Amino acid sequence: MAVFKFQTKEQAVSLKLLVDTETNKVVFAEADKDFVDILCSFLTFPLGTIAKFVQKDSNIGPITIGCLNSLNQSVQNLGLLTNYNSSEDYCNTLKINIDDSLPTNYFMCSKFDEFDHKCCYLSLGTKKHYCEYGHPLSRLVSLSSPLFEICLGFVKPATKFVISDDLIVFPPSMDLTIFDLTKKFGIKSTSSVKEMTVNVTKEKVLDLLKCSFFSKTPLTDVFLGMKPLIEKSRIFSCDVKDIISGDIHITVKLVIRKSDNIILYAQGGQDFAELIIRFLTFPLGGVLCKLEGNDSLGSIDGFCKSISNLNEDRYFILEAKKRLLELSGMHYYCHVHDDTSGEKFTLFKSNEVDFDWQNVVKMKLVNTITIPPMIRPGIYVKTPEMYYMVTDDLVVEPLLSPISSVFLFNRFKTSIYDLEEKVVTLGIKESLSIFKEALNSTCALTNGLRHLLTRVKKEK
């Protein structure tokens, strides 16, 4: 059975470019598996990881994506770990992986054994969780690659792709001749183009990720040094559906500044805080596939769409395409086996709902963003209700006492006479609206709940 090891040594990746010397722009790139795998890894990153990457300093400089940066920072301040990449087993063999997070540890219930599968609970990254019977999830279990085969990136080896300047991936084809390429990419004269080979470094990959969110020419920007102007505008200007599911009825109190009808903050319980924090756990590829309109200012949505158009059986390994494009649906399984090393349990994950295999048990994943403490060992009693404040730009903070609420008024530099409170119930519609605005603006609550503010205005 193959248990994967994370790669520690970074390797170099070369990329062949065709450059128009008259315009100093990349016409297209000819890439093999190594580079395409790196681009594909972008789609596996949770939005929290994206927020961390785009804030890092590099040649392009830090960028802001809606409220994701402020939300992610506040979650880190709370000491929560939310950015689990469910496809890290596909990313660990990349020649360049910009995600330098430590490998996720997996913990099973301490009472799970080969004979009693009742306590089949699993926790990601922490021993702080307990199963519904009160037993600690403290038994470290190793992760095997899916279907017990080694994952080597996303696309199949020995495959060449053509990639346009805006990251559209074209599959290899007999029909893709030099005549088609010159017509497709607007080359007027072959005498004005030259071939150029560049070295792709980790810093270049980070710049490429950043540029993919706001530039239509990321290859030119990164590899020819044509730094684009970073616009503080909407990156995702589309509607989103089916991002959030389930029966949501969350009661929150909105604190509204009457003079300009702005929501300063919302106050709610743990369910409200976890709803907002969960935004960071959504993988980028799954979110892009749910966008309606696909009119991002950058190139990342076009790249995602071109990946979705590639033939799964011909170009991708194992379940790689599903991992890149699905929002959720990852399932964890424990293989109970006899190992000479003494290890009895090995974990693997898959998009498959069920495996009808002998000695394979489906695991129940506990809430990976539960704000501790929740359950004490041996009993099923929750701690007293904790309330949280979520600001308009989605900074999540605990409300520790009534006194802390008083200091909020000074913080927002607003007279108490200019404030109004309104208790509302958030459902799926409101949750989706807040999420959409979290991608587009730094006023997610005000813009996402504007229909509720209109009612408040009428009631004055």
Side-chain angles (χ1 to χ4, degrees):
M1 182 184 303
V3 178
F4 62 73
K5 304 293 183 181
F6 277 71
Q7 182 173 294
T8 57
K9 185 178 180 180
E10 182 181 323
Q11 302 181 50
V13 173
S14 63
L15 182 66
K16 188 181 296 184
L17 306 176
L18 190 67
V19 178
D20 189 332
T21 57
E22 290 185 355
T23 60
N24 197 32
K25 289 185 177 181
V26 172
V27 181
F28 62 84
E30 184 179 277
D32 58 15
K33 170 183 170 59
D34 292 333
F35 184 73
V36 176
D37 277 345
I38 292 169
L39 293 182
C40 285
S41 71
F42 295 171
L43 302 180
T44 71
F45 297 147
L47 295 183
T49 300
I50 295 292
K52 179 182 72 172
F53 288 155
V54 298
Q55 283 186 308
K56 285 186 175 183
D57 194 24
S58 64
N59 289 329
I60 299 299
I63 66 172
T64 298
I65 300 179
C67 297
L68 293 186
N69 302 60
S70 54
L71 173 58
N72 187 64
Q73 185 59 56
S74 69
V75 168
Q76 300 308 309
N77 293 341
L78 287 173
L80 298 180
L81 302 175
T82 60
N83 303 331
Y84 300 110
N85 186 339
S86 62
S87 297
E88 66 180 2
D89 47 340
Y90 281 79
C91 295
N92 76 299
T93 56
L94 300 182
K95 287 193 174 182
I96 299 178
N97 184 4
I98 60 173
D99 189 358
D100 53 5
S101 304
L102 293 175
T104 303
N105 288 324
Y106 300 85
F107 297 96
M108 293 196 317
C109 181
S110 59
K111 295 299 182 180
F112 180 89
D113 59 45
E114 60 265 43
F115 304 110
D116 183 8
H117 299 159
K118 181 174 64 175
C119 292
C120 50
Y121 292 87
L122 182 70
S123 171
L124 305 185
T126 178
K127 296 181 180 180
K128 296 179 181 179
H129 291 293
Y130 298 85
C131 76
E132 65 172 300
Y133 303 102
H135 306 305
L137 274 62
S138 57
R139 176 181 287 174
L140 184 66
V141 59
S142 59
L143 181 67
S144 170
S145 54
L147 307 181
F148 312 117
E149 297 181 28
I150 297 177
C151 295
L152 298 175
F154 298 94
V155 298
K156 291 183 177 180
T159 307
K160 296 284 187 181
F161 296 89
V162 169
I163 304 176
S164 64
D165 197 10
D166 58 351
L167 301 186
I168 303 299
V169 179
F170 297 92
S173 171
M174 290 289 292
D175 298 327
L176 207 59
T177 65
I178 186 61
F179 301 104
D180 298 305
L181 291 174
T182 53
K183 183 178 180 181
K184 182 184 293 290
F185 297 108
I187 302 175
K188 297 179 180 179
S189 172
T190 55
S191 62
S192 66
V193 296
K194 69 174 182 179
E195 184 181 305
M196 178 178 175
T197 300
V198 295
N199 289 324
V200 181
T201 63
K202 195 170 186 177
E203 186 177 46
K204 293 291 187 184
V205 173
L206 181 59
D207 283 340
L208 198 56
L209 173 65
K210 292 179 182 181
C211 285
S212 70
F213 284 101
F214 59 83
S215 172
K216 290 294 187 183
T217 58
L219 294 182
T220 294
D221 299 334
V222 172
F223 297 111
L224 299 186
M226 304 292 288
K227 291 186 180 180
L229 176 64
I230 300 177
E231 299 180 5
K232 293 183 178 180
S233 53
R234 297 165 72 91
I235 292 178
F236 300 102
S237 55
C238 319
D239 289 329
V240 290
K241 288 186 177 180
D242 303 324
I243 295 287
I244 304 169
S245 60
D247 189 19
I248 297 178
H249 297 281
I250 298 176
T251 300
V252 300
K253 181 189 292 183
L254 304 179
V255 177
I256 305 160
R257 189 166 57 203
K258 293 186 290 184
S259 57
D260 53 9
N261 222 28
I262 295 294
I263 298 177
L264 298 182
Y265 67 92
Q267 178 181 321
Q270 182 168 296
D271 54 354
F272 176 51
E274 290 183 355
L275 170 70
I276 301 301
I277 293 171
R278 192 174 298 279
F279 295 167
L280 298 175
T281 69
F282 298 148
L284 177 62
V287 171
L288 291 171
C289 286
K290 295 295 184 180
L291 291 176
E292 294 192 343
N294 285 343
D295 56 351
S296 161
L297 296 181
S299 308
I300 191 65
D301 55 357
F303 167 71
C304 183
K305 187 174 181 179
S306 68
I307 291 296
S308 68
N309 290 334
L310 292 177
N311 183 280
E312 181 174 7
D313 295 330
R314 183 177 298 177
Y315 300 115
F316 294 94
I317 67 171
L318 297 174
E319 301 176 342
K321 187 174 181 179
K322 293 179 180 178
R323 294 284 190 98
L324 294 172
L325 303 176
E326 291 189 0
L327 186 66
S328 59
M330 191 58 57
H331 305 282
Y332 292 82
Y333 301 88
C334 181
H335 181 237
V336 183
H337 56 91
D338 233 349
D339 196 305
T340 55
S341 66
E343 186 175 33
K344 294 183 178 180
F345 310 111
T346 302
L347 191 71
F348 71 97
K349 51 190 174 182
S350 173
N351 294 85
E352 297 295 330
V353 176
D354 285 298
F355 278 95
D356 188 18
W357 292 356
Q358 189 177 6
N359 298 327
V360 170
V361 180
K362 189 173 184 179
M363 306 298 289
K364 299 176 182 178
L365 188 65
V366 300
N367 185 358
T368 57
I369 60 167
T370 298
I371 304 174
M374 280 293 292
I375 303 174
R376 298 303 184 193
I379 55 177
Y380 201 44
V381 179
K382 292 188 177 181
T383 58
E385 178 74 3
M386 172 73 83
Y387 290 97
Y388 292 85
M389 175 191 74
V390 178
T391 62
D392 203 9
D393 59 348
L394 300 190
V395 172
V396 180
E397 297 178 0
L399 282 173
L400 301 177
S401 69
I403 294 179
S404 64
S405 298
V406 174
F407 283 100
L408 284 176
F409 300 143
N410 294 330
R411 175 176 169 180
F412 291 114
K413 299 179 180 179
T414 300
S415 167
I416 193 171
Y417 302 105
D418 193 24
L419 298 179
E420 183 168 359
E421 293 182 345
K422 183 176 180 65
V423 176
V424 300
T425 299
L426 305 182
I428 290 290
K429 175 184 175 182
E430 289 76 19
S431 302
L432 285 172
S433 186
I434 294 172
F435 176 67
K436 173 189 172 183
E437 294 303 328
L439 299 175
N440 295 322
S441 75
T442 54
C443 302
L445 295 184
T446 298
N447 293 337
L449 302 178
R450 192 168 295 281
H451 61 292
L452 301 179
L453 300 185
T454 303
R455 296 172 192 170
V456 170
K457 196 170 184 179
K458 289 180 180 179
E459 290 170 3
K460 291 182 183 179

